[in-house]
Amino acid sequence: MTPNREAGCHSGLAAALDAGYAILERGGSSLDAVTEAVRLLEDNPLFNAGRGSVLCHDGSAELDAAIMDGSGPRAGAVAGLRHVMNPIELARLVMDKSPHVMLIGAGAEEFALEQGLVLVPNSYFRTQQREQELQRAQQKERQGHSVAASGGGTVGAVALDRAGTLAAATSTGGTTNKRSGRVGDSPIIGAGTYANNETCAVSATGSGEFFIRAVVAHDVHALVRYKHLDVVAAVREVVQEKLQRARGDGGVIAVDRAGRIAMEFNSEGMFRGARDSHGRREIGIYADSAAP
């Protein structure tokens, strides 16, 4: 992490955090807030979502996203996208404008065209940095190292609005050098994304296969609902105990129906930010970093 890249990531997090909060502050919905925050991160090539996504083994970019409305609850998800500029917008449309929860690949992109979304060449998502990361991963692979699912990441947002509605949104390019067609936890409701007004909203990042097996996002909800843990304790139990035992690395952001915020990770760092109506505003990258 160079100083310039760290500063750029910090700036990108701040812009997304403040844009989402501004929507809440003027009485907007949590769904609009998480959609806008994630859309901005998808447009920022420093993050692994939208433009700047990591690349598959064949050099293409394949993108996944999901959104969930805690009232209902309702959800929309997309996977294997190659041409949708902002996958989170399509996930929202799947939820709002279709009878389905998840659409994938060509069918999802046909629906995107019907809904008037912007489609772009797959090259739009590629950056020089991601191409270099893929080259390094494939070089190590040729040398006999197992790196088929390395160097990933995810962007996500969770929010609670004045009406008491919780929402979560997650978007990702997956993992570097992944096999084409691989789908991680981000678009899988209950694994990487979950929201329920009775408990909390959750978005996860990390080793997707572990998060799918552990149904991480729903597990946080279940601990709050059935074990009556507060969201901070629930997230800590899932990330620091259950995931650690399974040797899965990553983290979770969550907010509960009372507005309590949890940000927990067992990796070296996790890009994160939080803001609330009591004046809290912080942004962090590593375990010991949290700047105003």
Side-chain angles (χ1 to χ4, degrees):
M1 178 75 70
T2 65
N4 284 343
R5 181 172 174 79
E6 183 171 334
C9 289
H10 189 284
S11 177
L13 285 168
L17 179 67
D18 292 343
Y21 187 78
I23 290 171
L24 298 176
E25 196 170 35
R26 60 176 179 259
S29 72
S30 55
L31 277 171
D32 287 345
V34 297
T35 301
E36 179 63 8
V38 169
R39 186 190 66 78
L40 288 175
L41 292 170
E42 287 177 338
D43 290 343
N44 189 325
L46 293 177
F47 298 96
N48 177 24
R51 178 163 170 75
S53 289
V54 298
L55 303 176
C56 300
H57 182 78
D58 64 5
S60 66
E62 290 187 349
L63 296 79
D64 307 331
I67 192 166
M68 192 161 184
D69 172 4
S71 62
R74 304 181 304 132
V78 289
L81 303 182
R82 287 175 170 251
H83 301 287
V84 177
M85 186 174 181
N86 290 108
I88 197 61
E89 292 183 346
L90 183 57
R92 176 82 180 266
L93 287 168
V94 170
M95 180 178 71
D96 289 341
K97 302 294 185 180
S98 87
H100 308 301
V101 170
M102 179 181 284
L103 294 177
I104 66 169
E109 296 192 332
E110 181 180 355
F111 179 70
L113 281 173
E114 293 172 1
Q115 297 299 318
L117 288 190
V118 175
L119 267 62
V120 294
N122 194 256
S123 58
Y124 165 82
F125 303 107
R126 298 169 62 100
T127 63
Q128 184 177 15
Q129 178 186 337
R130 299 308 191 191
E131 290 173 351
Q132 292 172 348
E133 289 173 359
L134 177 62
Q135 290 168 4
R136 287 194 294 269
Q138 292 182 342
Q139 183 178 8
K140 290 180 179 180
E141 189 176 52
R142 288 191 293 269
Q143 295 170 348
H145 300 288
S146 177
V147 293
S150 63
T154 303
V155 304
V158 294
L160 171 69
D161 61 29
R162 292 180 184 176
T165 300
L166 289 160
T170 315
S171 181
T172 187
T175 54
T176 300
N177 201 32
K178 67 181 180 180
R179 186 184 183 95
S180 180
R182 179 263 187 186
V183 177
D185 64 301
S186 297
I188 297 177
I189 303 305
T193 308
Y194 195 77
N196 188 311
N197 281 359
E198 295 184 10
T199 54
C200 56
V202 183
S203 180
T205 179
S207 304
E209 280 70 16
F210 291 93
F211 282 70
I212 294 170
R213 295 180 192 119
V215 202
V216 163
H218 186 271
D219 199 22
V220 172
H221 150 79
L223 288 173
V224 174
R225 184 169 187 178
Y226 303 118
K227 200 174 179 181
H228 306 297
L229 296 184
D230 66 65
V231 71
V232 175
V235 165
R236 184 176 298 121
E237 180 173 325
V238 171
V239 174
Q240 302 297 355
E241 297 179 27
K242 295 184 177 183
L243 270 178
Q244 287 275 44
R245 286 197 297 269
R247 298 186 180 180
D249 69 317
V252 162
I253 58 172
V255 62
D256 70 7
R257 63 180 183 175
R260 288 181 290 255
I261 295 169
M263 299 187 290
E264 191 78 29
F265 55 99
N266 61 27
S267 49
E268 183 179 353
M270 180 177 75
F271 299 112
R272 63 198 186 278
R275 190 169 175 184
D276 67 22
S277 59
H278 300 294
R280 176 181 180 179
R281 184 184 183 276
E282 65 179 62
I283 297 167
I285 297 177
Y286 303 107
D288 58 351
S289 67

